[in-house]
Amino acid sequence: MGTRTLHVTNTLTRQLEAVQTQEPDHLRFYSCGPTVYSYAHIGNFRTFLTADLVVRVAEAIGWKVSYVSNITDVGHLTQDDVADAGGEDKMEKALHSKEGEQFQNVWDLARHYANAFIDDWDRLRLKRPLVWPRATEHMREQIEAVEKLIESDHAYVTPTGVYFRLSSFPDHGKLSGNRDKEQLKVAVRDVVQDDNKEHPGDFALWKLDDKHLMQWYSPWGWGFPGWHIECSVMAMKYLGETLDLHAGGEDLVFPHHESEIAQSECLTGHEFCPYWIHTRFLQVNGEKMSKSKGNWYTVRDLVDGRGVDPVALRYALISVPYGKPNNFTDQTLKDAARNVERMREARSVAESASAAQVAGEDVVGGRLVELYDKALDAMCEDLNTAVALAQALEGAKLIRESLTDGGSADSAKASLLFLDQIDALLGIAPPVETAAEALAEAEPVVEGKPIAEWIALRTSAKASKDFATADQIRQTLDAAGIELRDTPDGVIWKRKTSM
Ligand code: AMP
Ligand code: ZN
């Protein structure tokens, strides 16, 4: 189609490469989603935003995108990354915490945080994937995959579970470079030793545990799946046996993605995914985010708690290219808010000029086309958001300077086109939408109550920290085809056009 293509730094080769899709102009893309045992933090969203930008760039260059991002709603273990299904169950731990008191059980808890996650996703204007598969809804497929791996000798059963046999897959380590078996022992094995395993580096596909709060019946007994198998199964179910591109945060390279490759390639006998991208961690004030340091922020802490404009938060999180560490500070957020304000001002100036319909020359269009092209080129080059955002700001400045004292209808048209294109590419120049405008539509009645009444009930439930009721209301409206959005101007509702 177009002449542009997307280049990424491929973790597999550590090179900047043009993504060659299997089918021309069609990207099959999988991005690892959140584990829903608490609210996702802004670091998680940095990683999800990288995936969002991939989708936006691919669409901007005319590709069709099949985008899948999972929701891990199975209680995996607190030390999965180092101890392979060792430690405490994350969901169970959350249920027994102070915040967990509001939930009846782990299922309720997972549902609550999954809904909250989707709310945050929408508020930060991430594009919704084609499918949002949940691990708990793909248990049969996971069990079948484990059975297949056992049949082909890539896995074995012990009294504690089913393990993947690393020695059966010589390519293990190709993503992370972690091929040294002794190192693997340290990396995977440190905390929990399971004498039933053939090699300490073998990882769990199924853990037997009839005390686990979330458990399923399998040919090996009651238990739950290992952490990695869900992504192999769900990626291949929705995207086919070979994907084009796979994304996640930097901590997922090993063991999660390495294990996904091992399982998938042993299941199909061919390559699982040729291109991988990993987002560097977000730091806050130069430090790793941690609850104990008090530098741990969720989207709602900032947006609901501190009145931060969600578009400004989005801007701040994407302002540094994904391959570089992003140090998030108050200043980052202030700069982002000012820049988003500039984008909004440009739009309002362009809209006024458009409404005035003054005849005259287009004095901005040529330059705006150049700026958009430069922004798109930068995004095609390993998602260089720093350069792309600079073009967006320069365009906004030109629009403000040229149209503030009135401009021609043609200049206004070119300006609005630029802002729409920039918004489609980066999501930082939203159309003007006020609560009043949204409410101007005829107000629907759901279960006998007008929508405003539902919104008021939800607001007061949230104020008294009754998040379960607030979510229940959101779900009731959702089922009636009404979507709620929290905006800086208050809560607005919309009729859902698609899922
Ligand atoms: P989790 O919910 O823990 O499964 O994490 C969801 C995604 O967020 C994964 O891709 C992680 O790699 C990523 N992630 C976790 N912490 C951070 C961070 N501080 N910065 C960027 N990404 C992160
Ligand atoms: Zn995954």
Side-chain angles (χ1 to χ4, degrees), residues 295-337:
N295 63 357
W296 176 279
Y297 298 111
T298 63
V299 172
R300 50 204 58 214
D301 288 338
L302 296 175
V303 174
D304 300 331
R306 285 176 41 184
V308 170
D309 171 2
V311 186
L313 178 55
R314 174 185 172 94
Y315 192 113
L317 291 173
I318 65 169
S319 58
V320 177
Y322 75 96
K324 297 205 173 96
N326 183 351
N327 184 24
F328 187 89
T329 62
D330 269 344
Q331 193 56 45
T332 321
L333 207 45
K334 271 194 206 134
D335 292 346

Side-chain angles (χ1 to χ4, degrees), residues 362-375 390-391 393-399 402 414 418 421:
D362 169 10
V363 295
V364 291
R367 179 75 186 123
L368 291 177
V369 167
E370 276 171 27
L371 288 170
Y372 176 72
D373 281 353
K374 223 167 140 188
Q391 312 314 306
L393 287 175
E394 201 175 322
K397 184 163 173 238
L398 177 67
I399 295 169
S402 316
F418 173 79
Q421 284 180 319

Side-chain angles (χ1 to χ4, degrees), residues 11 30-32 172 175 227-228 231-232 246-264 272 276-278:
T11 312
Y30 186 88
S31 165
C32 286
H172 187 265
L175 185 71
W227 172 31
H228 320 298
C231 284
S232 289
H246 194 312
E250 62 175 327
D251 61 324
L252 298 189
V253 176
F254 182 88
H256 185 54
H257 288 161
E258 199 73 78
S259 307
E260 268 188 51
I261 293 175
Q263 297 161 158
S264 309
F272 175 49
W276 293 77
I277 52 169
H278 291 95

Side-chain angles (χ1 to χ4, degrees), residues 32-37 41-48 72 90 227 247-252 279-283 289:
C32 286
T35 312
V36 286
Y37 63 95
H41 57 64
I42 55 174
N44 299 135
F45 270 98
R46 177 179 200 212
T47 290
F48 305 145
T72 301
K90 286 178 184 161
W227 172 31
E250 62 175 327
D251 61 324
L252 298 189
T279 303
R280 295 291 298 273
F281 265 20
L282 182 81
Q283 295 205 322
M289 237 193 305

Side-chain angles (χ1 to χ4, degrees), residues 347 369 372 412-423:
R347 198 179 271 280
V369 167
Y372 176 72
K413 196 171 162 201
S415 302
L416 290 173
L417 173 68
F418 173 79
L419 292 167
D420 287 345
Q421 284 180 319
I422 284 291
D423 193 47

